[in-house]
Amino acid sequence: MRLAQHMSIASDRIRSECVEANEFHELSQRYQVMAVPKIIINDRVEFEGAIPERDFVNAVLQAVAAKEA
């Protein structure tokens, strides 16, 4: 989440939100949260668990490409 927040500060085209899965059961069920962190980008790309920064940035780029396609 920290990297997502840094990216949203660096670019006005990126927005990040952190949601506590235990407090928002409806969202947890909607996105089938089984582990944390669960990252969802534009409802198109998602992954669970910590990943290296390079992989996170690649996932953001993948989500942007999917949205533009």
Side-chain angles (χ1 to χ4, degrees):
M1 187 59 214
R2 188 175 302 150
L3 179 56
Q5 290 175 328
H6 288 299
M7 292 174 74
S8 68
I9 291 169
S11 173
D12 60 350
R13 296 182 66 195
I14 298 173
R15 191 182 92 214
S16 66
E17 293 182 44
C18 179
V19 175
E20 176 60 48
N22 291 330
E23 294 180 18
F24 295 91
H25 298 287
E26 182 180 313
L27 285 174
S28 296
Q29 290 176 343
R30 176 179 171 194
Y31 291 106
Q32 300 176 343
V33 176
M34 300 297 176
V36 292
K38 169 102 180 208
I39 307 295
I40 300 131
I41 306 169
N42 294 342
D43 284 330
R44 298 173 193 270
V45 176
E46 61 182 66
F47 50 89
E48 291 181 333
I51 64 171
E53 186 174 311
R54 180 183 349 184
D55 294 341
F56 184 90
V57 172
N58 286 334
V60 170
L61 295 173
Q62 178 185 354
V64 169
K67 185 175 182 181
E68 292 176 351

